[in-house]
Amino acid sequence: MAYALFNRILASQLPMQFSHPSEIDRLKDLRDAGYIKVAFSPPHSAVPLCATVSEVTNLGRAAARYFGSPGPAT
């Protein structure tokens, strides 16, 4: 689920890289929701091979607080 991946992102140090197709799909959902900033490479490919999450947005942090997700790792 995207929620589990989002929790993993919140608990980790950024940037994070992903390459599994199912994770890439979930990252697109989180990006579309406005929760994260992510870059896909190659950027013009129909099927990205890699994604790098660079930031959790303010909206993402607010959603994490609302839904009780863990905070960033220290």
Side-chain angles (χ1 to χ4, degrees), residues 9 14-19 23-25 27-28 30-32 36-45 47-56:
I9 292 167
L14 298 178
M16 285 181 77
Q17 291 190 335
F18 299 88
S19 59
E23 289 178 327
I24 301 262
D25 288 340
L27 290 171
K28 288 178 183 177
L30 291 169
R31 177 204 57 197
D32 292 346
I36 61 170
K37 290 188 180 179
V38 59
F40 298 98
S41 59
H44 300 294
S45 175
V47 181
L49 301 176
C50 181
T52 303
V53 175
S54 60
E55 182 181 334
V56 176

Side-chain angles (χ1 to χ4, degrees), residues 6 30 33-37 55-63:
F6 186 52
L30 291 169
Y35 291 176
I36 61 170
K37 290 188 180 179
E55 182 181 334
V56 176
T57 66
N58 288 335
L59 178 61
R61 293 186 193 288

